[in-house]
Amino acid sequence: MRQGIGTIQLALRAVSGHGGWLAGLLLTAVWLALPSIGVAAEGTATGPTEYRDIPYIGSRNLVWIVAQLHLLLAGFVLGVPIFAWLCEVIAWRGGEKRYDKLAKEFTKLLTSAYATTALFGGILLFLLVAFYPKLMNYLTDVFFPSFLLYCLLFLLETATLYLYWYGWDAMQYGKLKTLHVVLGFLLNFFALFIMIVPNAWATFQSSPVVISEGTAIERAWAATWNPTWWPINIHRLIANVVLGGYICGAYAGVRYLSVKNPEEREHYDWMGYVGNFIGVFGLLALPFAGYWLMREIYQYNQQMGITLMGGFLSWLFIIQAMLIGVLFLGSNYYFWLGITYRIPGSEGKYRRAMLMMLVSLLLCLAVWMTPHSLVASIEEAQKMGGAHHPLLGVLGVMSAKMTVSNLMILITFMSFVMYWRAGKQDTAGWAKLGKAVMGAVLVLASLAVIVLGVWGYFVPAIVRINYFSTSQVLIVIFVILTITPLTALLLKSAKTTTEMVWGSMPPRAGYALVLNAVMVILLMTLMGYARSSSRVHWHVYGVMRDSSPYAYSPALGSASLIMAFCTFFFCILVAFIFWVATMGDKAKAAASGKGELPHGIPAMAGGAPEERQQG
Amino acid sequence: MSEVAQLQLIALSIVGFGILILLFIRATFVRVTGFVFIVLGLFSLMSLAVPQLASLPPAEEKVDLASIKTPTDIAAIGQTVFFSKGQCALCHSIGPSESARCPDLKGIGAKLSKDFLYESLTDPQAFVYQDYRHGGVPKEYPATMPRIDKDPIGLSKNEILAVIAFLQQMSGEPISVSLSDLEIPGQTPKAPVKAAESALVAKARTH
């Protein structure tokens, strides 16, 4: 440092004779910058920076919040195109225009949602590079080729999205419509890869596969194909459909609560139904994907599995059961409200069945929420004969939980079938036989699920996991794949006794849709915390240790407030995106003053507004 | 007021705020926001009602050779390692337990020799019996036990010996781990565990 000051004095003497004020200024600037050079030199002496922090919030909390919001937005941005494309295909093949307009309305959201997602992704990247430079350096070294691939995919997805959205009106008919549907497929195709590439970076941290030899591509590929990569890919893909569906439902629910126009009420009631249906459709498959993921985690590392389900995170699964339980109840409740209010005359006919379903769901939920061990005083433990309650301890194990979760899926499926069949009378000659077969399949399947569940207590865990639980899942899938086509065949020739009345749902239906969406978002935040916490004090499990002050997982209570904040902030962001996306349309509608539906606002239930006017 | 009580108060305030909105505000969007507040507040209250367990990184147990005078001192260190850095209690119990997923270690020190225990901890696949039975055809299932000397647990030789001493003491056996078995720092430096050699890190096939 002293040497440096001496050099400046020499230089100043040299320039003073020439009166070079500019050079003097430059040297002053260099002199002012010297302390930072000194700091940098000191930093170099002690090795490269591993962590940086910010006061009050803490670097970990900030990264947590931004990463969670980015993930939720990404789930929304990836779920909505699937949802929209499916609706477009239904309209294209079935000829129902309202599905096409619904698809268009949601695709319109994508442009603003996409930008917001990218914004949060950029912020996350900057924060990670700033706060965790050593970890990011390591991950870059492993994954460099996939970073380039990701950039390419991002470009392709952006181009496809623009073509898909801006080409909507121009590609409405004939071969151009086919091209538009293909564009929608490509959008989803690129979106899928946009999801699975970063999934590799995240899953690598939990289940790393490292090779030190080979080319950069070989090393990146080995790290990408890690044990939990595909289970997460499948799990997230389904979860994104569920998220997209329920958010669509929540949007419709809020609009339903606020609109006064009966036509709009009809429309948003119908949109809420579609959103809830797609959400439930994904929800039925989600537990299977989750089970597969947990199984892979156990196979990869028993310790990590136990940390998740038997260690300090075990109580998290009780909260998860509560959230999933409320989601199942909310989805069923919405179906039951639909039967009661949309199909006049059905409320009395199905009341008993609905009551039985409600009781069964609550019983299943009670079993699912039963903890394996209780927090008990020494006196209480002595009375119970251990940490496990004599009865509740039996219900706290996986055999019971797998059984009730499968039963809840079956009940929800039957709720949907009941809604589907409501207001219709069978006319087919084989209707009696068909219904008997369906009833037998359902009863036998339920019994088989229960028998396997009870039997599971008496066999080694590996037999239960590999054979019994898998069989339970296959039985439920068999029921869904048998009853769905049979019901569809029966209803093809059925007589409609009561027409569906849209727009007659009570306000609580709108709140039920909002509740379902909040439950899904909370579930995603909760399981994000679980996945991250399962790595315990490792950035990359078993490879790179977290040596920062944040190398611990916070308790569930304090974490829940961050999760609640993320959920709330995400809801506000989505509301903002919806508001921005429809702002221009409202202005256009007001300017035209004709009461015509603005561009992008879908048709009423039963047909497009133009069609009605023509009719 | 404890931290949990403070957080409960915050969660309760969120619920209360939501209820106030629903009671006094008529605007739909604000009412829905109030409803969301209630749901999120209840979620936090539920999460705060369950046992609050944080996962702390394991404490580094320094085996201070100077402080070890007897084998009992080694066993005392082993007990600490068993319940902290070693994470043994995550899967094993000492005495019968319904929640234990792996063999009960009560009396294991009497059944197995020091060398056998060392091998079981550092090379768990070497000798495995189905369902922990001491008989029958071995190796029907691979051992779920991880290599304890590799990451992510990564116990040093001294720490492993201390755990063995603890297991022997717990079984009422004389401790066969002696002071001379322990490594003196500086004499046999521990080779760094490379990422690719870690027990957890699977080696991918590059062909």
Side-chain angles (χ1 to χ4, degrees), chain B residues 175-191:
Chain B
I175 299 168
S176 64
V177 178
S178 63
L179 294 173
S180 59
D181 291 331
L182 300 178
E183 276 181 351
I184 299 165
Q187 285 189 354
T188 48
K190 189 188 166 194

Side-chain angles (χ1 to χ4, degrees), chain B residues 2-84:
Chain B
S2 70
E3 194 191 332
V4 172
Q6 286 175 17
L7 295 174
Q8 281 172 331
L9 202 63
I10 293 171
L12 212 57
S13 309
I14 295 170
V15 175
F17 188 57
I19 291 172
L20 283 177
I21 289 175
L22 283 186
L23 284 176
F24 298 107
I25 309 276
R26 303 263 39 107
T28 305
F29 184 75
V30 185
R31 285 175 71 81
V32 172
T33 309
F35 175 70
V36 173
F37 270 134
I38 294 171
V39 174
L40 295 179
L42 289 175
F43 163 74
S44 297
L45 281 174
M46 174 91 182
S47 303
L48 285 159
V50 300
Q52 296 301 301
L53 305 166
S55 166
L56 301 172
E60 289 294 328
E61 292 302 324
K62 290 200 174 156
V63 182
D64 182 11
L65 293 174
S67 68
I68 299 171
K69 306 289 180 211
T70 63
T72 315
D73 295 337
I74 306 175
I77 294 167
Q79 183 174 6
T80 316
V81 173
F82 186 92
F83 289 104
S84 58

Side-chain angles (χ1 to χ4, degrees), chain A residues 14-78:
Chain A
V15 295
S16 61
H18 304 284
W21 63 270
L22 193 66
L25 203 66
L26 191 69
L27 280 168
T28 310
V30 172
W31 181 74
L32 286 172
L34 266 181
S36 64
I37 296 167
V39 170
E42 280 161 23
T44 313
T46 54
T49 305
E50 290 188 22
Y51 301 104
R52 293 189 185 90
D53 203 359
I54 50 161
Y56 307 114
I57 304 173
S59 59
R60 195 261 296 268
N61 286 346
L62 187 59
V63 167
W64 181 355
I65 291 167
V66 173
Q68 188 60 67
L69 288 170
H70 175 61
L71 192 83
L72 287 167
L73 283 162
F76 177 65
V77 165
L78 299 179

